[in-house]
Amino acid sequence: MTASLVVGAISPEATQLAANRLGPLLRGSRCGEVVGELVRERTARSGDSAFARRKTSLLSFTSLLEIAAQESGRTHLGLDMAEADHPHEAGIVSDLFVYASTVGQALEDLVRFFPIIQTGTTVRLERAHGMARFIYSIQDPSIAERLQDAAYTLGKVSRSLRRATGDAWSLDQVTMAMRAPASLQAYTRFFRAPVVFNAQATALCFSEAFLALPIRTANAQRYGRFCEGMARALPAREDPGLLEDALRAWLQHAPRKWDATLEHAAADFGITPRTLQRRLRDLGISFLDLRAQVRMETARRMLAGSRLPVTRIAEQLGFSEPSAFTRAFRIHAQQSPRAFRQAALTPL
């Protein structure tokens, strides 16, 4: 247990890019609506344009990918997202591999500028015994399920490298620091190399000699301007609002979420209850008030987006009886659950 709180974040641009890829993959399913919420919900919680530009917690993002993979039946959704990229798609990962002079230069600067895309994460390029490894590791202890995010990230980098070198670059193997899925076929086919799960690190492994491979579209002048812009964009400090966003995501997915305590949350975030309490107090947030708010937001979604009876929704939200749910919801929304559902389902 440490008193140092790590809350990973993903940039608005990277969130939008992922949502753009997820949309066509999940179109027509309930998950497609959830994808829209990834981009919309933060604006809906505030009319402040600065809030809309704020990063999303990495826990929210990774949880979305895992839920979408499960509910859509796309067990290798992260790979599907990586494969859905476009040759001319804008983004830091793609742009680095357009103008850099070599594979090594592009990867070194990806390590340098990765905090612009995502924080609470470590990426590094290691060289040893003639081999190179591009290693990706999430440091946020609240994130337990990481497969889809890891597949998406390594898949994006792998695709960018192949495109930049005309397939001259290739992998020796890929290692994943997580349990193996039911089938490895999609992974070996995508990466065109053996994929080893339950490894110590999540990494792309290839010959060190490939770092000297030239990039076909290299342009030193444009690359210099690009890197200058990226250096100015590096985050100076953590956004304090990320903690609230991460706790919201944690409450949505924690076991026995509506009985969850501050102590449970602190344990999953790898800090002491006292540290979490102090950070929340600094933000003017009460854990119990936040839990109640997330509970009612979940009730709104269930009432508007499902046909479940109110009694069943009350049970799933952990209320002892439907009348207790009705009272709590009426205080929150100034109307009964049934009235809210009827208004939500009535066409404008």
Short mmCIF file of all heavy atoms in Angstrom, two decimals, residues 117-152:
data_model
loop_
_atom_site.label_atom_id
_atom_site.label_comp_id
_atom_site.label_asym_id
_atom_site.label_seq_id
_atom_site.Cartn_x
_atom_site.Cartn_y
_atom_site.Cartn_z
N ILE A 117 -0.97 11.58 -24.82
CA ILE A 117 -2.08 10.68 -25.14
C ILE A 117 -2.68 10.12 -23.87
O ILE A 117 -3.90 10.06 -23.70
CB ILE A 117 -1.59 9.51 -26.02
CG1 ILE A 117 -0.83 10.00 -27.24
CG2 ILE A 117 -2.75 8.60 -26.41
CD1 ILE A 117 -0.11 8.89 -27.98
N GLN A 118 -1.81 9.69 -22.97
CA GLN A 118 -2.27 8.88 -21.83
C GLN A 118 -1.29 9.02 -20.67
O GLN A 118 -0.07 9.03 -20.87
CB GLN A 118 -2.31 7.42 -22.31
CG GLN A 118 -3.05 6.47 -21.42
CD GLN A 118 -3.20 5.13 -22.13
OE1 GLN A 118 -3.81 5.05 -23.20
NE2 GLN A 118 -2.66 4.08 -21.57
N THR A 119 -1.83 9.11 -19.46
CA THR A 119 -1.00 9.15 -18.26
C THR A 119 -1.37 7.98 -17.35
O THR A 119 -2.29 7.23 -17.63
CB THR A 119 -1.19 10.48 -17.51
OG1 THR A 119 -2.57 10.61 -17.13
CG2 THR A 119 -0.79 11.67 -18.37
N GLY A 120 -0.61 7.83 -16.26
CA GLY A 120 -0.79 6.66 -15.41
C GLY A 120 -0.28 5.41 -16.10
O GLY A 120 -0.67 4.29 -15.78
N THR A 121 0.60 5.61 -17.07
CA THR A 121 1.10 4.55 -17.94
C THR A 121 2.60 4.75 -18.14
O THR A 121 3.08 5.88 -18.19
CB THR A 121 0.41 4.62 -19.32
OG1 THR A 121 -1.00 4.61 -19.14
CG2 THR A 121 0.81 3.46 -20.20
N THR A 122 3.31 3.64 -18.27
CA THR A 122 4.73 3.70 -18.60
C THR A 122 4.94 3.04 -19.96
O THR A 122 4.47 1.92 -20.20
CB THR A 122 5.59 2.95 -17.56
OG1 THR A 122 5.44 3.59 -16.29
CG2 THR A 122 7.05 2.95 -17.96
N VAL A 123 5.62 3.74 -20.87
CA VAL A 123 6.07 3.12 -22.12
C VAL A 123 7.58 3.34 -22.21
O VAL A 123 8.09 4.39 -21.83
CB VAL A 123 5.36 3.71 -23.36
CG1 VAL A 123 3.90 3.33 -23.38
CG2 VAL A 123 5.51 5.21 -23.42
N ARG A 124 8.27 2.34 -22.68
CA ARG A 124 9.72 2.48 -22.82
C ARG A 124 10.22 1.60 -23.94
O ARG A 124 9.57 0.62 -24.33
CB ARG A 124 10.43 2.16 -21.51
CG ARG A 124 10.27 0.77 -20.98
CD ARG A 124 10.94 0.64 -19.60
NE ARG A 124 11.00 -0.73 -19.14
CZ ARG A 124 10.03 -1.36 -18.49
NH1 ARG A 124 8.89 -0.72 -18.23
NH2 ARG A 124 10.16 -2.61 -18.10
N LEU A 125 11.40 1.96 -24.46
CA LEU A 125 12.05 1.19 -25.51
C LEU A 125 13.35 0.63 -24.94
O LEU A 125 14.23 1.38 -24.54
CB LEU A 125 12.35 2.10 -26.71
CG LEU A 125 13.01 1.45 -27.92
CD1 LEU A 125 12.10 0.38 -28.53
CD2 LEU A 125 13.36 2.52 -28.97
N GLU A 126 13.43 -0.68 -24.88
CA GLU A 126 14.61 -1.35 -24.33
C GLU A 126 15.38 -2.06 -25.42
O GLU A 126 14.79 -2.62 -26.37
CB GLU A 126 14.20 -2.37 -23.26
CG GLU A 126 13.67 -1.74 -21.99
CD GLU A 126 13.44 -2.78 -20.90
OE1 GLU A 126 13.54 -4.00 -21.19
OE2 GLU A 126 13.16 -2.37 -19.75
N ARG A 127 16.72 -2.07 -25.28
CA ARG A 127 17.60 -2.79 -26.21
C ARG A 127 18.50 -3.71 -25.40
O ARG A 127 19.13 -3.26 -24.44
CB ARG A 127 18.46 -1.82 -27.00
CG ARG A 127 17.70 -0.76 -27.79
CD ARG A 127 18.68 0.27 -28.35
NE ARG A 127 18.06 1.28 -29.18
CZ ARG A 127 17.47 2.37 -28.73
NH1 ARG A 127 17.41 2.59 -27.42
NH2 ARG A 127 16.95 3.24 -29.55
N ALA A 128 18.58 -4.97 -25.80
CA ALA A 128 19.46 -5.92 -25.10
C ALA A 128 19.65 -7.16 -25.97
O ALA A 128 18.69 -7.70 -26.52
CB ALA A 128 18.87 -6.32 -23.75
N HIS A 129 20.92 -7.59 -26.08
CA HIS A 129 21.27 -8.84 -26.76
C HIS A 129 20.72 -8.91 -28.17
O HIS A 129 20.22 -9.95 -28.63
CB HIS A 129 20.77 -10.04 -25.95
CG HIS A 129 21.16 -10.00 -24.49
ND1 HIS A 129 22.47 -10.04 -24.07
CD2 HIS A 129 20.38 -9.88 -23.37
CE1 HIS A 129 22.51 -9.98 -22.74
NE2 HIS A 129 21.27 -9.87 -22.31
N GLY A 130 20.80 -7.77 -28.88
CA GLY A 130 20.37 -7.75 -30.27
C GLY A 130 18.87 -7.66 -30.47
O GLY A 130 18.39 -7.70 -31.61
N MET A 131 18.13 -7.54 -29.38
CA MET A 131 16.68 -7.44 -29.48
C MET A 131 16.21 -6.09 -28.93
O MET A 131 16.85 -5.49 -28.07
CB MET A 131 16.00 -8.56 -28.68
CG MET A 131 16.26 -9.95 -29.24
SD MET A 131 15.56 -10.17 -30.89
CE MET A 131 13.80 -9.98 -30.55
N ALA A 132 15.09 -5.63 -29.46
CA ALA A 132 14.45 -4.40 -28.96
C ALA A 132 13.05 -4.77 -28.48
O ALA A 132 12.39 -5.65 -29.04
CB ALA A 132 14.38 -3.35 -30.06
N ARG A 133 12.61 -4.06 -27.42
CA ARG A 133 11.25 -4.27 -26.90
C ARG A 133 10.59 -2.93 -26.67
O ARG A 133 11.15 -2.06 -25.99
CB ARG A 133 11.27 -5.05 -25.58
CG ARG A 133 11.75 -6.48 -25.68
CD ARG A 133 11.34 -7.28 -24.44
NE ARG A 133 11.79 -6.66 -23.19
CZ ARG A 133 11.30 -6.97 -21.99
NH1 ARG A 133 10.32 -7.86 -21.88
NH2 ARG A 133 11.79 -6.39 -20.90
N PHE A 134 9.40 -2.76 -27.26
CA PHE A 134 8.57 -1.60 -26.95
C PHE A 134 7.58 -2.07 -25.90
O PHE A 134 6.70 -2.89 -26.17
CB PHE A 134 7.85 -1.08 -28.19
CG PHE A 134 6.93 0.08 -27.90
CD1 PHE A 134 7.44 1.36 -27.77
CD2 PHE A 134 5.56 -0.11 -27.74
CE1 PHE A 134 6.60 2.44 -27.49
CE2 PHE A 134 4.71 0.95 -27.46
CZ PHE A 134 5.23 2.23 -27.34
N ILE A 135 7.72 -1.56 -24.66
CA ILE A 135 6.98 -2.07 -23.51
C ILE A 135 5.90 -1.08 -23.10
O ILE A 135 6.13 0.13 -22.99
CB ILE A 135 7.93 -2.32 -22.32
CG1 ILE A 135 9.02 -3.33 -22.73
CG2 ILE A 135 7.18 -2.83 -21.10
CD1 ILE A 135 10.12 -3.50 -21.71
N TYR A 136 4.71 -1.60 -22.85
CA TYR A 136 3.56 -0.80 -22.45
C TYR A 136 3.02 -1.33 -21.13
O TYR A 136 2.73 -2.52 -21.01
CB TYR A 136 2.47 -0.89 -23.53
CG TYR A 136 1.15 -0.25 -23.18
CD1 TYR A 136 1.00 1.13 -23.15
CD2 TYR A 136 0.03 -1.04 -22.90
CE1 TYR A 136 -0.22 1.72 -22.84
CE2 TYR A 136 -1.20 -0.45 -22.60
CZ TYR A 136 -1.31 0.92 -22.56
OH TYR A 136 -2.52 1.49 -22.25
N SER A 137 2.90 -0.44 -20.13
CA SER A 137 2.47 -0.89 -18.81
C SER A 137 1.59 0.16 -18.14
O SER A 137 1.99 1.32 -18.03
CB SER A 137 3.69 -1.16 -17.92
OG SER A 137 3.32 -1.48 -16.61
N ILE A 138 0.41 -0.25 -17.71
CA ILE A 138 -0.48 0.64 -16.96
C ILE A 138 -0.08 0.63 -15.49
O ILE A 138 0.03 -0.43 -14.89
CB ILE A 138 -1.96 0.20 -17.12
CG1 ILE A 138 -2.42 0.42 -18.56
CG2 ILE A 138 -2.86 0.97 -16.15
CD1 ILE A 138 -3.83 -0.05 -18.83
N GLN A 139 0.14 1.82 -14.93
CA GLN A 139 0.56 1.93 -13.53
C GLN A 139 -0.60 2.21 -12.58
O GLN A 139 -0.44 2.17 -11.37
CB GLN A 139 1.59 3.07 -13.40
CG GLN A 139 2.82 2.90 -14.28
CD GLN A 139 3.57 1.63 -13.98
OE1 GLN A 139 3.88 1.34 -12.82
NE2 GLN A 139 3.87 0.84 -15.00
N ASP A 140 -1.78 2.51 -13.12
CA ASP A 140 -2.96 2.80 -12.30
C ASP A 140 -3.47 1.50 -11.70
O ASP A 140 -3.98 0.63 -12.41
CB ASP A 140 -4.03 3.44 -13.20
CG ASP A 140 -5.27 3.88 -12.42
OD1 ASP A 140 -5.55 3.30 -11.35
OD2 ASP A 140 -5.97 4.80 -12.91
N PRO A 141 -3.36 1.30 -10.38
CA PRO A 141 -3.72 0.02 -9.76
C PRO A 141 -5.22 -0.27 -9.76
O PRO A 141 -5.63 -1.41 -9.52
CB PRO A 141 -3.18 0.14 -8.34
CG PRO A 141 -3.18 1.61 -8.06
CD PRO A 141 -2.85 2.26 -9.38
N SER A 142 -6.04 0.74 -10.03
CA SER A 142 -7.49 0.51 -10.03
C SER A 142 -7.95 -0.25 -11.27
O SER A 142 -9.09 -0.74 -11.32
CB SER A 142 -8.24 1.84 -9.93
OG SER A 142 -8.11 2.60 -11.13
N ILE A 143 -7.09 -0.35 -12.28
CA ILE A 143 -7.46 -0.99 -13.55
C ILE A 143 -7.05 -2.45 -13.51
O ILE A 143 -5.86 -2.79 -13.58
CB ILE A 143 -6.81 -0.26 -14.74
CG1 ILE A 143 -7.27 1.20 -14.76
CG2 ILE A 143 -7.16 -0.96 -16.05
CD1 ILE A 143 -6.55 2.05 -15.77
N ALA A 144 -8.03 -3.33 -13.41
CA ALA A 144 -7.76 -4.77 -13.32
C ALA A 144 -7.79 -5.45 -14.68
O ALA A 144 -6.94 -6.29 -14.99
CB ALA A 144 -8.77 -5.43 -12.38
N GLU A 145 -8.79 -5.12 -15.51
CA GLU A 145 -8.94 -5.75 -16.82
C GLU A 145 -8.28 -4.87 -17.89
O GLU A 145 -8.71 -3.74 -18.11
CB GLU A 145 -10.43 -5.96 -17.14
CG GLU A 145 -11.14 -6.87 -16.14
CD GLU A 145 -10.56 -8.28 -16.13
OE1 GLU A 145 -10.09 -8.74 -17.18
OE2 GLU A 145 -10.59 -8.91 -15.06
N ARG A 146 -7.26 -5.41 -18.56
CA ARG A 146 -6.42 -4.58 -19.42
C ARG A 146 -6.23 -5.13 -20.83
O ARG A 146 -5.51 -4.54 -21.64
CB ARG A 146 -5.04 -4.40 -18.77
CG ARG A 146 -5.12 -3.92 -17.33
CD ARG A 146 -3.78 -3.81 -16.67
NE ARG A 146 -3.90 -3.26 -15.32
CZ ARG A 146 -2.92 -2.71 -14.65
NH1 ARG A 146 -1.71 -2.65 -15.18
NH2 ARG A 146 -3.12 -2.22 -13.44
N LEU A 147 -6.82 -6.26 -21.14
CA LEU A 147 -6.52 -6.95 -22.40
C LEU A 147 -6.88 -6.12 -23.62
O LEU A 147 -6.06 -5.95 -24.52
CB LEU A 147 -7.25 -8.30 -22.44
CG LEU A 147 -7.10 -9.08 -23.75
CD1 LEU A 147 -5.64 -9.36 -24.06
CD2 LEU A 147 -7.89 -10.38 -23.69
N GLN A 148 -8.12 -5.59 -23.69
CA GLN A 148 -8.55 -4.88 -24.89
C GLN A 148 -7.72 -3.61 -25.10
O GLN A 148 -7.33 -3.30 -26.23
CB GLN A 148 -10.04 -4.55 -24.81
CG GLN A 148 -10.94 -5.75 -24.59
CD GLN A 148 -10.76 -6.85 -25.62
OE1 GLN A 148 -10.38 -6.61 -26.77
NE2 GLN A 148 -11.06 -8.08 -25.21
N ASP A 149 -7.44 -2.90 -24.02
CA ASP A 149 -6.62 -1.69 -24.13
C ASP A 149 -5.22 -2.02 -24.61
O ASP A 149 -4.67 -1.34 -25.48
CB ASP A 149 -6.57 -0.98 -22.78
CG ASP A 149 -5.58 0.17 -22.78
OD1 ASP A 149 -5.90 1.23 -23.36
OD2 ASP A 149 -4.49 0.01 -22.21
N ALA A 150 -4.62 -3.08 -24.07
CA ALA A 150 -3.27 -3.46 -24.47
C ALA A 150 -3.23 -3.89 -25.93
O ALA A 150 -2.32 -3.52 -26.68
CB ALA A 150 -2.75 -4.60 -23.58
N ALA A 151 -4.23 -4.67 -26.36
CA ALA A 151 -4.29 -5.12 -27.75
C ALA A 151 -4.45 -3.92 -28.69
O ALA A 151 -3.81 -3.86 -29.76
CB ALA A 151 -5.43 -6.11 -27.94
N TYR A 152 -5.28 -2.98 -28.30
CA TYR A 152 -5.50 -1.78 -29.12
C TYR A 152 -4.22 -0.95 -29.22
O TYR A 152 -3.82 -0.54 -30.32
CB TYR A 152 -6.63 -0.96 -28.49
CG TYR A 152 -6.92 0.37 -29.14
CD1 TYR A 152 -7.01 0.51 -30.52
CD2 TYR A 152 -7.13 1.50 -28.36
CE1 TYR A 152 -7.31 1.73 -31.11
CE2 TYR A 152 -7.44 2.74 -28.93
CZ TYR A 152 -7.51 2.84 -30.31
OH TYR A 152 -7.80 4.06 -30.89
#
